[in-house]
Amino acid sequence: GEYRLAQNKVVIPSDSGLGEGDVSAYIRQKPNSSWLFGWNPMLYVYNWSVREKSFVHKIGTAPVVFDSLSVGTSLANIRNRLEYLGWYGSVVTPQIDRYGKNVKVSYIISPGKRYLVNSLIWDIPSGGEFAADFLADSTAMTEATVGRYLSEKDLETESARSAARLRDLGYFSLNKNNYSFEADTMPDGTATLIYKIGRA
């Protein structure tokens, strides 16, 4: 009653801007690696042995037995990854095809909505030099800024960059955990991004 996981496949619309590499690492169960034309000879070496502790059995490669529960975990992982990258409300549908004693699992992705940042609002400590130093550095923003799509990945990258730059200016206790963000999204696909910076 068991099947070998022979292949995972990610199906994404070609015009989405996403690639299989964006999500494939988040599939929980991986099939055996292939050597030539989808064939792994060490699987056959493994199956030659009928005794689990034999030498032949030890040098072979055990087949990956398909686990249906891992598909549900993979779906959640992929959805979370897509949201992190800025595709909100994505739908991931599994398709399980059995042939012989093998299984191919396809993860069919319908990417969600993206929001283009069209304005920024700063909520930073007033007084002193920090506000001036932060705003002067804000012109160097390349990730989470106007004209970019909203994504947690870009917010994380930008907060790490900004914190590193400000530490160079003497705000030694500042790190990316001092940064938080809010986004006001609109039906037309745009968003206002609010930067909130705690005191360093």
Side-chain angles (χ1 to χ4, degrees), residues 2-8 27-34 40 42-43 46-47 60-68 70 101-105:
E2 293 180 328
Y3 294 84
R4 181 176 76 89
L5 177 61
Q7 182 184 4
N8 289 324
I27 297 174
R28 180 163 186 175
Q29 191 178 34
K30 309 291 187 183
N32 296 102
S33 59
S34 299
N40 185 334
M42 301 312 291
L43 285 171
Y46 182 92
N47 289 328
T61 299
V64 175
V65 177
F66 171 65
D67 175 16
S68 61
S70 72
K101 296 294 290 183
N102 299 308
V103 164
K104 180 177 79 171
V105 182

Side-chain angles (χ1 to χ4, degrees), residues 160-174:
R161 185 210 62 79
S162 176
R165 170 59 180 157
L166 289 167
R167 284 197 301 272
D168 289 341
L169 297 178
Y171 302 96
F172 300 115
S173 64
L174 191 73

Side-chain angles (χ1 to χ4, degrees), residues 14-195:
S14 60
D15 60 350
S16 67
L18 283 166
E20 183 175 347
D22 291 317
V23 298
S24 59
Y26 298 86
I27 297 174
R28 180 163 186 175
Q29 191 178 34
K30 309 291 187 183
N32 296 102
S33 59
S34 299
W35 291 17
L36 292 170
F37 307 108
W39 181 61
N40 185 334
M42 301 312 291
L43 285 171
Y44 293 90
V45 170
Y46 182 92
N47 289 328
W48 285 340
S49 172
V50 294
R51 292 183 296 110
E52 290 190 4
K53 295 183 179 180
S54 72
F55 173 73
V56 172
H57 198 92
K58 288 180 180 179
I59 66 172
T61 299
V64 175
V65 177
F66 171 65
D67 175 16
S68 61
L69 294 178
S70 72
V71 174
T73 302
S74 297
L75 293 175
N77 290 347
I78 293 172
R79 282 193 295 266
N80 289 339
R81 177 63 178 174
L82 291 171
E83 185 159 319
Y84 177 76
L85 294 175
W87 276 268
Y88 299 96
S90 297
V91 176
V92 187
T93 305
Q95 179 178 306
I96 300 172
D97 297 308
R98 293 177 173 86
Y99 52 101
K101 296 294 290 183
N102 299 308
V103 164
K104 180 177 79 171
V105 182
S106 298
Y107 295 90
I108 303 168
I109 296 175
S110 297
K113 190 168 185 175
R114 302 183 80 188
Y115 294 92
L116 190 68
V117 177
N118 67 354
S119 63
L120 300 175
I121 296 175
W122 311 111
D123 183 355
I124 57 180
S126 59
E129 297 179 354
F130 179 81
D133 288 338
F134 175 84
L135 291 173
D137 178 66
S138 68
T139 59
M141 291 192 308
T142 57
E143 302 294 332
T145 189
V146 171
R148 298 273 297 191
Y149 283 106
L150 179 68
S151 79
E152 186 178 341
K153 177 179 180 291
D154 286 352
L155 294 174
E156 189 173 292
T157 300
E158 181 53 43
S159 58
R161 185 210 62 79
S162 176
R165 170 59 180 157
L166 289 167
R167 284 197 301 272
D168 289 341
L169 297 178
Y171 302 96
F172 300 115
S173 64
L174 191 73
N175 60 60
K176 67 179 184 179
N177 295 325
N178 292 92
Y179 293 66
S180 61
F181 305 89
E182 289 183 6
D184 185 10
T185 58
M186 304 298 290
D188 65 357
T190 61
T192 296
L193 183 59
I194 305 171
Y195 274 77

